[in-house]
């Protein structure tokens, strides 16, 4: 997209949940998750000047109730994942070059299920700031979203971004989905909500 909201001065990149538990070898792996981490490390350092800000979200669970289950349905309940203090909650090491440019991390779901990055907050001293307020305070009007998983946390974050009034794009080649059917449902929801779905721009 072009126009005032499309310029670097008003655009942010949101990296969603690129954590060990959501990549191959984790407790809730998404096929292609590690590749997303690699691609982000190639994209962000070379395209940093496209963005006024780069932020990340993270599942950060301690006791999220029925969101964790020993007999998960993989729709509303899931195996234990991204437990605070475990390696699974850490960002994937292949994304390290991308995360060198991340200014703030918005953690979500300490005591509840939380899919959208807009449910998270970043803490500075005694002050917790939500993602929407953080972006607005920096004059952000548009966001690009990448990460894991297309059909769950990327979907929820993108749809909330639209609700919060941000021009929203999902960088599909920097995402990985859980399943083809639910990923297609996410794409349909994006189209209905006015989310632009695209691949990463060329240099």
């Amino acid at each position: 997209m072009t126009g005032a909201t499309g310029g670097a001065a008003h655009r942010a990149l949101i990296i969603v949940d690129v954590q060990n538990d959501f990549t191959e070898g984790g407790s809730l792996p998404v096929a292609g998750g590690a590749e997303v981490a690699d691609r982000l490390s190639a994209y962000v350092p070379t395209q940093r000047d496209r963005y006024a800000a780069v932020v990340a979200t993270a599942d950060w669970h301690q006791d999220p109730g029925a969101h964790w289950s020993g007999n998960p349905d993989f729709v509303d309940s899931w195996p234990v994942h991204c437990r605070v203090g475990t390696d699974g909650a850490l960002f994937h090491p292949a994304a390290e070059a991308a995360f060198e440019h991340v200014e703030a991390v918005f953690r979500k779901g300490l005591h509840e299920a939380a899919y959208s990055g807009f449910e998270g907050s970043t803490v500075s001293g005694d002050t917790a700031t939500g993602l929407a307020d953080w972006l607005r305070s920096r004059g952000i009007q548009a966001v690009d979203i990448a990460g894991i998983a297309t059909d769950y946390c990327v979907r929820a974050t993108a749809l909330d971004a639209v609700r919060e009034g941000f021009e929203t794009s999902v960088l599909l080649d920097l995402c990985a989905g859980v399943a083809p059917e639910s990923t297609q449902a996410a794409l349909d929801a994006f189209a209905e909500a006015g989310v632009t779905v695209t691949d990463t721009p060329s240099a």
Side-chain angles (χ1 to χ4, degrees), residues 54-58 60 91 102-109 116-135 137-138:
V54 179
V55 300
T57 73
W60 197 245
F91 295 116
V102 167
E103 298 172 48
V105 176
F106 295 82
R107 303 191 188 279
K108 54 191 172 70
S116 170
F118 288 89
E119 297 177 77
S121 61
T122 189
V123 178
S124 178
D126 295 327
T127 302
T129 304
L131 179 54
D133 287 342
W134 192 96
L135 293 171
S137 73
R138 287 155 177 79

Side-chain angles (χ1 to χ4, degrees), residues 1 5-13 50-53 140 142-144 167 169:
M1 287 188 173
T5 57
H10 301 287
R11 182 173 292 274
L13 175 65
R50 293 183 181 271
Y51 301 103
I140 300 301
V143 296
D144 289 351
E167 180 186 300
S169 298

Side-chain angles (χ1 to χ4, degrees), residues 109-191:
L110 191 65
H111 298 294
E112 60 190 357
Y115 294 93
S116 170
F118 288 89
E119 297 177 77
S121 61
T122 189
V123 178
S124 178
D126 295 327
T127 302
T129 304
L131 179 54
D133 287 342
W134 192 96
L135 293 171
R136 290 193 188 102
S137 73
R138 287 155 177 79
I140 300 301
Q141 300 171 20
V143 296
D144 289 351
I145 299 174
I148 307 170
T150 314
D151 34 355
Y152 288 93
C153 293
V154 169
R155 171 180 173 156
T157 301
L159 295 180
D160 274 357
V162 171
R163 293 186 190 105
E164 293 286 351
F166 297 101
E167 180 186 300
T168 304
S169 298
V170 170
L171 303 178
L172 198 59
D173 60 332
L174 294 181
C175 296
V178 172
E181 297 82 3
S182 50
T183 296
Q184 184 58 55
L187 298 178
D188 293 343
F190 294 156

Side-chain angles (χ1 to χ4, degrees), residues 1 6 11 17 22 24 26 57 64 86 88 109 112 132 155 179 194 197-198:
M1 287 188 173
R11 182 173 292 274
D17 297 7
F22 296 139
E24 292 81 351
T57 73
T86 67
E112 60 190 357
R155 171 180 173 156
V197 176
T198 185

Side-chain angles (χ1 to χ4, degrees), residues 33 42-43 47-48 59 65 83 95 100 102 105 119 138 173 189:
Y43 176 73
Q47 305 299 319
R48 178 63 181 84
D59 262 20
R83 187 194 292 271
E100 289 177 357
V102 167
V105 176
E119 297 177 77
R138 287 155 177 79
D173 60 332

